[in-house]
Amino acid sequence: MRHQNSSAGTLRVEIEALEAQLAHLRAKLAEAESSATPKLVPNPSEAVSSNADTAPDQPIAPEQTGEWGWPLDAEDYKRYGRQMIMSEIGLEGQLRLKSAAVLIVGVGGLGCPAATYLAGAGVGTLGLMDGDTIETSNLHRQILHTSDRVGWLKVTSAIESLKQLNPKVHYRAHASHLEPTAALSIIDDYDLVLDCTDHPTSRYLISDAVVIAGKPLVSASALRTEGQLLVLNNPPTNDERNGGFCYRCVFPKPPPVESVINCGEGGILGPVVGVMGVLMATEAIKIIAAGHSLDSRLNSDGTDDSNATASTTNSSSATISINLVPSLLVYSAYSSPPFRSMRLRGKRPHCPSCSASRSITRQSLISGSLDYVSFCGIAPPPNLLPINERVSAKEFKEKVKDGGMAHTLVDVREKTQYDICHLEDSLNVPFSNFSAFDGDEIIDANFTLQQLIDGDRKRRDGPIYFVCRFGNDSQLAVRKLKSSPTFASTGRIVLDIVGGLAAWRQDVDPEFPDY
């Protein structure tokens, strides 16, 4: 008891000392604020002074003016000075940034670096939209999120980090995914939109919405070691002007369902998506700083002049030329040079979204009559095989592995993934080899069909089981193998493991690596 009382007394003394120190610091702060350095008034007409002869750069004490006389706060000059001294930005460009409202849809690998640099540049209002929560697998590339925030909403985490970088920006959180019926009510409140999503459905939706709302769009994507960047609807299409091209002009039809691969399936190098996010922020700053004088040189039919440029004049009277030729910027980390620009055709004359004869309207979007999921052909994971040709991971474990049944287990993931982790005694025959398999004897240079059929003596008469990461490619491999006349003649049973290694981890072995 005596020890506890002693500890409490010590804590009281420490608290009193800290409170005294805090009071002292507050007194010093008040003294510093009351004796602030006199400021300069930028224009005599703006100075509150009875002396008509006061020069524009004459020091006027705060008590004489009663207010700060410059267009930006004192801290803003210090914070943004390194970019304001550039002719491309200047004071006028910085004021435009301060007045701008930018919406970032998707706060992942693209959205995090884009938001970081837009907040750092002093964009006045930054809206962040994402309905996902943080997972550990996000952290190697989504730089606004931290390990202790796993499970948080991404928008909440991002705003927490951005406030530490620049508390002067106004942040708006939209903790949901963008839906067609609500898209315009959100986008209407912003001046420019960044599409940082990773799926065709959202790309078409966002592009349609910005065209209707009359907002420029910066869109990018990244996968593995490559990225792409587009600036769309710039200048915006409206009733008086046939503006820039849209996403549908570049991609009139969505990609085949089977070709759509996300980062979880195809992989992504963190710095690659970071590069693309930084480029998105750069394009956004260019558009905002250029202001309303940024105008396209479009022909009367809406096609783009091959020499199209736009110019803007900043506060230093320097003219900045901006190339508006329709193009796609491609980045490849393992190519030399890593950047190349591809010339695009520009607006399609009969584009349903941005042409004069467009059929996608504000009413059709708000009403929900546009089905983007159906348009993109997105479907749940395929069930390509009948139920009698598939087994669950649990059944495979109990009846085959534990039961000692003779069998051959074929893992069709690519070798890189197979080397990360695999089931014991499995054979690796990558799906890319099966997809090119036309039924002859050779599956790949190192593995023949006969070897797969024979296996070793222990396996020769047992079934062949196929597995992949999620249970999709393995079904295709089973179907491909069974189409081989050579294999059909053997009469061997071929089965797919439902849900692949993800199901194995969930239902059988929770310690199996999740990558």
Side-chain angles (χ1 to χ4, degrees):
M1 179 66 72
R2 180 178 300 174
H3 174 73
Q4 291 178 346
N5 290 339
S6 175
S7 298
T10 302
L11 289 173
R12 288 192 190 96
V13 171
E14 291 179 0
I15 291 172
E16 290 172 358
L18 290 172
E19 287 177 342
Q21 184 179 2
L22 181 58
H24 177 67
L25 290 173
R26 284 173 175 161
K28 289 184 66 176
L29 175 61
E31 180 182 354
E33 290 176 340
S34 65
S35 59
T37 304
K39 308 301 179 182
L40 298 179
V41 175
N43 191 304
S45 63
E46 296 175 0
V48 181
S49 173
S50 60
N51 184 1
D53 296 328
T54 302
D57 58 352
Q58 181 177 341
I60 304 295
E63 55 268 23
Q64 289 179 277
T65 65
E67 62 181 14
W68 170 260
W70 299 91
L72 292 172
D73 295 342
E75 183 185 335
D76 289 346
Y77 283 96
K78 200 73 174 175
R79 181 183 287 268
Y80 309 123
R82 296 299 185 273
Q83 65 190 35
M84 282 198 293
I85 61 177
M86 297 171 16
S87 60
E88 292 85 353
I89 304 295
L91 176 61
E92 186 176 348
Q94 191 62 49
L95 291 172
R96 286 172 178 159
L97 286 167
K98 185 176 181 180
S99 300
V102 177
L103 174 64
I104 297 178
V105 185
V107 193
L110 292 169
C112 284
T116 299
Y117 279 96
L118 288 175
V123 168
T125 299
L126 198 56
L128 303 174
M129 185 169 202
D130 201 313
D132 289 341
T133 56
I134 302 168
E135 299 177 359
T136 302
S137 61
N138 301 148
L139 298 178
H140 86 289
R141 66 192 184 279
Q142 299 181 15
I143 57 174
L144 288 176
H145 312 313
T146 56
S147 298
D148 60 338
R149 296 180 190 166
V150 171
W152 284 32
L153 284 166
K154 289 186 178 181
V155 292
T156 304
S157 170
I159 290 175
E160 282 291 314
S161 296
L162 292 171
K163 283 181 177 178
Q164 296 298 312
L165 171 67
N166 193 348
K168 299 175 74 68
V169 175
H170 175 57
Y171 300 100
R172 295 178 185 167
H174 303 278
S176 64
H177 297 294
L178 192 66
E179 296 292 339
T181 54
L184 290 175
S185 64
I186 295 172
I187 290 175
D188 280 340
D189 291 337
Y190 293 91
D191 302 309
L192 184 145
V193 179
L194 273 63
D195 180 0
C196 299
T197 62
D198 61 357
H199 206 280
T201 53
S202 56
R203 296 194 184 282
Y204 283 102
L205 166 59
I206 294 170
S207 177
D208 291 345
V210 297
V211 171
I212 294 170
K215 316 290 183 179
L217 172 65
V218 181
S219 178
S221 61
L223 184 68
R224 299 189 177 103
T225 61
E226 298 182 343
Q228 298 180 347
L229 176 74
L230 285 164
V231 177
L232 303 168
N233 199 43
N234 182 42
T237 297
N238 55 40
D239 294 337
E240 300 176 355
R241 176 177 59 197
N242 196 6
F245 65 103
C246 74
Y247 192 79
R248 289 181 185 267
C249 294
V250 185
F251 304 104
K253 296 181 180 180
V257 178
E258 61 275 11
S259 70
V260 177
I261 302 174
N262 60 31
C263 295
E265 298 171 339
I268 181 67
L269 187 63
V272 170
V273 72
V275 166
M276 302 314 298
V278 170
L279 289 173
M280 294 181 80
T282 303
E283 293 300 323
I285 291 170
K286 286 165 57 179
I287 293 170
I288 296 168
H292 60 80
S293 60
L294 178 62
D295 197 5
S296 71
R297 307 301 167 85
L298 293 174
N299 299 321
S300 57
D301 61 356
T303 59
D304 294 89
D305 191 324
S306 60
N307 297 314
T309 59
S311 64
T312 180
T313 304
N314 70 1
S315 56
S316 301
S317 299
T319 299
I320 312 301
S321 295
I322 300 175
N323 189 0
L324 290 181
V325 175
S327 61
L328 171 70
L329 181 66
V330 178
Y331 172 66
S332 180
Y334 282 81
S335 296
S336 182
F339 287 99
R340 58 193 174 97
S341 181
M342 299 173 60
R343 176 74 178 270
L344 301 176
R345 292 183 178 180
K347 290 179 74 76
R348 293 174 61 228
H350 303 292
C351 175
S353 181
C354 70
S355 70
S357 58
R358 51 186 175 270
S359 57
I360 299 175
T361 64
R362 179 175 287 267
Q363 182 56 38
S364 62
L365 197 62
I366 294 175
S367 67
S369 61
L370 298 175
D371 188 345
Y372 290 90
V373 173
S374 176
F375 172 70
C376 293
I378 306 304
N383 292 311
L384 305 176
L385 302 175
I387 193 171
N388 62 328
E389 293 183 7
R390 310 188 75 190
V391 297
S392 68
K394 193 172 183 179
E395 183 181 357
F396 174 75
K397 168 71 164 55
E398 294 174 350
K399 293 185 177 180
V400 180
K401 299 287 283 185
D402 293 348
M405 179 187 297
H407 69 283
T408 299
L409 176 61
V410 181
D411 188 326
V412 299
R413 293 174 299 155
E414 297 303 310
K415 186 177 185 302
T416 304
Q417 295 191 46
Y418 181 82
D419 289 343
I420 293 173
C421 56
H422 56 265
L423 296 181
E424 187 179 2
D425 293 331
S426 61
L427 305 175
N428 182 219
V429 184
F431 176 72
S432 56
N433 300 123
F434 274 101
S435 60
F437 177 56
D438 60 5
D440 60 17
E441 293 295 315
I442 299 177
I443 293 179
D444 64 35
N446 301 312
F447 206 87
T448 67
L449 177 61
Q450 195 60 48
Q451 286 175 303
L452 177 60
I453 294 171
D454 291 347
D456 56 34
R457 293 183 178 180
K458 177 182 178 182
R459 298 166 170 163
R460 182 160 187 161
D461 298 326
I464 301 176
Y465 293 88
F466 279 77
V467 69
C468 65
R469 190 176 178 189
F470 297 114
N472 299 330
D473 289 347
S474 56
Q475 294 185 72
L476 296 171
V478 168
R479 193 164 64 175
K480 196 80 172 178
L481 183 61
K482 296 188 74 171
S483 68
S484 164
T486 302
F487 180 80
S489 65
T490 67
R492 292 194 67 181
I493 298 173
V494 186
L495 299 169
D496 166 63
I497 298 177
V498 179
L501 295 173
W504 178 268
R505 180 179 58 255
Q506 179 177 333
D507 300 333
V508 178
D509 181 9
E511 295 185 0
F512 191 82
D514 180 13
Y515 61 93

